[in-house]
Amino acid sequence: MGSPQHPEQPVSPLSRRAFLGAAGATAALTGLSWTPAFKVLPAEAATAAPPDFPSGLTVYQQAWSNWSGEIAVSPLWTCSPSSPADVVTLANWAHAQGWKIRARGMGHGWSPLLEPNGATGNILLVDTTENLTAVTVSGGSPASVTAQAGVSMTTLLTDLENAGYGLTNTPAPGDLTLGGVLAIDGHGSSVPATGETPLAGHTYGSVSNLVTSLTAVVWNPAQNAYALKTFQRSDPDIAAFLVHLCRAFITEATLRVGANVRLRCQSTYTTNVGTLFAPPASAGSSSYAALVNQSGRVETIWFPFTTVPWLKVWSVSPSKSWLSREVDSPFNYTFSDSVSSSESQLIAEIVSGDVSVTPTFENLEMSIVGSGLIVTGTWDIWGWAKNTQLYVRPTTLQVTANGYAILCARADVQRVVSDFYTYLDNALNTYAARGQYPMNGPWEVRVTGLDNPADCGVPGAVQAQLSALRPRPDEPAWDTAVWMDVLTIPGTPQSQQFYRETEQWVLSNYTGSYAAVRPEWSKGWAYSGTAGWSDPTMLGSTIPAAYRTGQAGGDNWDTALATLDRYDPARIYSNTFLDGFLP
């Protein structure tokens, strides 16, 4: 039987099924990444191989699961192209055969943008991570990096660091591909601190906002075939590709980059949650907004039924403080990289229905953070940017998460977080009074700027039409996004109902000239009460309206969908979920 230690070893169909059953049952408890774990070649497969598959390209079956294990598909036919030209060949083959091809990265996401749960049919997964990983850093002023879509963010940021460059905003996991980050407007947590001057080549918005050009495999009417096409940032059509929600196949992108910086990250767990998220009228120097103004880079992780959150504050620090520990590699919070036997036992009890242990579990999680920071000496670390920014590994507890970007004015950040904390605390206490605990993970809060196209340095640069960080021209005071995620173990009783109630509260609270809501594409949204990504009103009306309101006609949600359809009229880059959501 194939195993994570021997991922290339073929297995028989019987062993494959046994493996899938065992993996699915234990993934949430162990936090182990079980995907992909084996390859089944056509001669050993239980189903017929794709017809007339291009010669010179190897096709095989491989299982796939997303980060939380909520989306799992039986072994699908998969290919690992060696070059962008191979992707063109696959696209034209799929078009001729009536197949779909899906650009597969690391699978570190929650939403069904790649494939919905249990997907079957004529689907070819195209693994970008084996060969489409080239990186070229071009120094000078301005500097840039050209990278293929399958490169991991860890590798990309390491290559940039070695050349003296870095990013201000980047997601916390390193096991993301660049293509995946661009598909869903990946981001970090940063805004300018009070008095901070932005560095050239950096952005406080999404990684997509740094793109100066990208190459995709698109339909070419003149050739009557799919072909490679490079879009420049000033081309109006690139606006749909910068954040494309897996409705396109990007092979390569060039991003503007700037000089690398040293960051100090100080972790504390002594600030009371009520102080951090106090109402604006009573907020003091330890409030979330005050810390954002001081450093510009703040993240909080609060476990409900505890009194203090894990608070991370980054600051630009050219010189190391004598209090700090220098780090020369990322992923320094090793205490959060695995699941202990005590955690596993409590998780098993929760999943089996004994949710009364939730407060105990939440307090255990926070105690692990507190003791872990001390034991590992990581409460105050200093080093090149990526070494403090990247901290989530594949072995971190794999929970599910909803996610929203709240667009607002910088002056309203404290109001935004205080409103949500008050709602969340009251809602969870109401549930607890009934003996119900629908949430057993943390509430995470980050803050970023919006996408300013000028950051990429290209004259006439256009905005990413489907980015949650796209500014609203009708609300010029809105310059900030507060990102909020509520995490829980998949299958927790009442969690779907709670997510539905939370989403509806968010939509009703952050309205008018105060704020607006957009989904975090990689996370959970559109809750029906029994499942995510399934509420017809959210999918068909609310979300599209969030990308139409305030935008010019001919440059909004509908424009993006029309552009993606024009470059993929056969919809070979789609799936059953996207066919309904992005018709």
Side-chain angles (χ1 to χ4, degrees), residues 166-455:
L167 303 181
T168 292
N169 254 352
T170 186
D175 65 319
L176 305 174
T177 61
L178 175 61
V181 169
L182 297 181
I184 51 86
D185 67 355
H187 60 92
S189 187
S190 70
V191 293
T194 300
E196 179 180 349
T197 301
L199 294 175
H202 288 259
T203 186
Y204 296 105
S206 67
V207 176
S208 294
N209 191 47
L210 291 173
V211 170
T212 62
S213 67
L214 59 79
T215 300
V217 179
V218 301
W219 181 253
N220 185 321
Q223 298 179 23
N224 196 34
Y226 283 83
L228 291 166
K229 178 179 173 63
T230 298
F231 297 85
Q232 301 300 322
R233 184 62 184 269
S234 56
D235 182 343
D237 283 350
I238 200 176
F241 289 87
L242 293 168
V243 178
H244 55 78
L245 310 187
C246 299
R247 266 293 283 127
F249 200 123
I250 308 301
T251 61
E252 181 180 273
T254 298
L255 283 67
R256 180 74 65 230
V257 294
N260 204 9
V261 299
R262 301 267 198 177
L263 294 178
R264 181 185 187 184
C265 183
Q266 295 170 278
S267 287
T268 60
Y269 49 93
T270 57
T271 302
N272 185 275
V273 65
T275 300
L276 187 66
F277 299 121
S282 58
S285 60
S286 296
S287 68
Y288 186 84
L291 295 173
V292 168
N293 288 337
Q294 291 168 26
S295 75
R297 298 153 178 82
V298 181
E299 177 186 64
T300 62
I301 300 175
W302 176 58
F303 296 92
F305 309 107
T306 68
T307 58
V308 294
W310 182 3
L311 174 63
K312 293 197 194 85
V313 178
W314 291 262
S315 54
V316 178
S317 304
S319 301
K320 187 180 84 69
S321 165
W322 69 273
L323 295 171
S324 301
R325 170 190 162 196
E326 183 171 0
V327 293
D328 56 11
S329 61
F331 312 112
N332 292 287
Y333 306 113
T334 53
F335 54 85
S336 66
D337 290 344
S338 60
V339 181
S340 68
S341 59
S342 298
E343 291 173 284
S344 293
Q345 177 60 39
L346 290 172
I347 292 169
E349 293 178 31
I350 290 170
V351 172
S352 68
D354 183 8
V355 296
S356 65
V357 300
T358 297
T360 300
F361 176 70
E362 297 279 36
N363 278 273
L364 173 62
E365 294 295 276
M366 193 58 218
S367 70
I368 290 173
V369 170
S371 60
L373 289 170
I374 294 172
V375 170
T376 60
T378 51
W379 66 87
D380 187 343
I381 60 176
W382 176 87
W384 290 116
K386 86 167 198 314
N387 298 329
T388 68
Q389 293 169 318
L390 300 180
Y391 63 87
V392 176
R393 288 187 182 273
T395 51
T396 302
L397 179 62
Q398 295 170 345
V399 290
T400 190
N402 71 3
Y404 307 97
I406 313 300
L407 275 61
C408 65
R410 177 80 173 260
D412 283 330
V413 165
Q414 188 65 25
R415 178 184 172 188
V416 168
V417 297
S418 180
D419 281 356
F420 196 94
Y421 167 69
T422 301
Y423 159 78
L424 187 61
D425 191 47
N426 289 338
L428 292 177
N429 283 325
T430 299
Y431 269 93
R434 301 196 297 260
Q436 299 173 338
Y437 295 88
M439 176 187 173
N440 44 52
W443 169 42
E444 298 183 350
V445 184
R446 302 176 182 87
V447 62
T448 68
L450 303 188
D451 284 344
N452 178 1
D455 293 344

Side-chain angles (χ1 to χ4, degrees), residues 68-81:
S68 62
E70 293 171 284
I71 297 176
V73 296
S74 296
L76 292 181
W77 289 106
T78 306
C79 181
S80 300

Side-chain angles (χ1 to χ4, degrees), residues 68-102:
S68 62
E70 293 171 284
I71 297 176
V73 296
S74 296
L76 292 181
W77 289 106
T78 306
C79 181
S80 300
S82 297
S83 66
D86 285 347
V87 179
V88 174
T89 298
L90 292 171
N92 284 307
W93 167 82
H95 180 242
Q97 298 296 329
W99 277 56
K100 307 287 189 182
I101 67 171
R102 311 298 294 135

